Amino acid sequence: MNSFYSEEELHCLGLRAYGKDVLISRKASIYGAGGLTIGDHVRIDDFCILSGEIHLHNYIHLAAGTMLFAGDAGITFEDYTTTSSNCRLYAVSDDYSGKTMTNPMIPEEYKALVRGPIILHRHVVIGTGCTLLPGVEVGEGTSVGAMSLINRSLEPWGIYCGIPARKIRERQNDLLRLCEDFEKQAGVQN
């Protein structure tokens, strides 16, 4: 038995839309499949959790244990974006100040949810064990080191790490030439 869903099984999941060469582990958990849009050449590994409005463009990899809690705010992964294992992205979170109650079993009128879309632009790579909080936008080409906390938006083509994540240097963009060649060879349409 293949560890990824077959084409027929993908169709039965009830995804909003999906492209070609989509590999979703049978051990991944998808809640609200109707909110999930998947492009071409996307791989979702074991023990990933996807919940809410999620848009995965093309050539995306979610490594084992990645958790996307998008809610109605949404999470978007643009082309060539990846997370290493055990990353957590929260587009919706409780208010932890103590002014309101918390947890999903409490009616919304007793809570103050913090919401904000998370966007990972093209060529972003997120290292293992990172956490991204509501409203974060990660600029094109940025990489984030392992175990970092991203609580604010990050500029393009930087290398960030830490708690909270801070820019430690510029990231080279030589990969853009490789990407251009790859897209020509693969017949990728922009």
Side-chain angles (χ1 to χ4, degrees):
M1 174 190 258
N2 191 332
S3 62
F4 295 106
Y5 287 117
S6 69
E7 179 68 30
E8 182 178 300
E9 290 169 323
L10 282 175
H11 181 71
C12 292
L13 289 177
L15 304 172
R16 178 179 294 154
Y18 66 94
K20 62 184 179 207
D21 189 27
V22 171
L23 301 171
I24 300 176
S25 169
R26 295 175 191 279
K27 295 178 182 176
S29 297
I30 299 172
Y31 299 94
L36 181 55
T37 303
I38 302 175
D40 297 333
H41 313 289
V42 173
R43 179 174 143 180
I44 301 170
D45 288 345
D46 293 352
F47 314 118
C48 289
I49 297 175
L50 289 82
S51 175
E53 293 290 320
I54 299 169
H55 304 281
L56 304 175
H57 292 207
N58 304 303
Y59 296 96
I60 304 296
H61 178 227
L62 303 180
T66 293
M67 299 183 184
L68 307 181
F69 302 106
D72 57 359
I75 295 174
T76 300
F77 280 60
E78 292 185 354
D79 296 346
Y80 310 111
T81 301
T82 188
T83 60
S84 189
S85 56
N86 297 314
C87 290
R88 313 295 189 255
L89 287 76
Y90 298 92
V92 178
S93 178
D94 284 314
D95 175 350
Y96 284 70
S97 69
K99 294 178 183 177
T100 64
M101 295 179 74
T102 62
N103 95 51
M105 301 310 293
I106 303 299
E108 287 216 25
E109 63 264 23
Y110 298 101
K111 301 188 302 181
L113 294 176
V114 178
R115 290 180 166 91
I118 294 176
I119 302 170
L120 280 65
H121 290 284
R122 290 169 55 101
H123 303 291
V124 165
V125 58
I126 305 294
T128 188
C130 288
T131 300
L132 285 77
L133 298 181
V136 165
E137 187 169 346
V138 181
E140 179 181 27
T142 288
S143 67
V144 180
M147 307 299 289
S148 294
L149 172 67
I150 299 93
N151 61 357
R152 61 181 174 79
S153 293
L154 306 180
E155 295 176 6
W157 298 103
I159 298 175
Y160 291 79
C161 67
I163 300 175
R166 298 189 193 295
K167 187 173 185 177
I168 59 171
R169 67 175 172 264
E170 295 293 319
R171 184 175 183 215
Q172 294 182 354
N173 64 7
D174 297 349
L175 63 87
L176 292 176
R177 286 193 309 271
L178 294 171
C179 182
E180 187 177 307
D181 184 55
F182 169 76
E183 288 179 344
K184 286 178 188 174
Q185 295 297 320
V188 174
Q189 302 290 323
N190 289 336

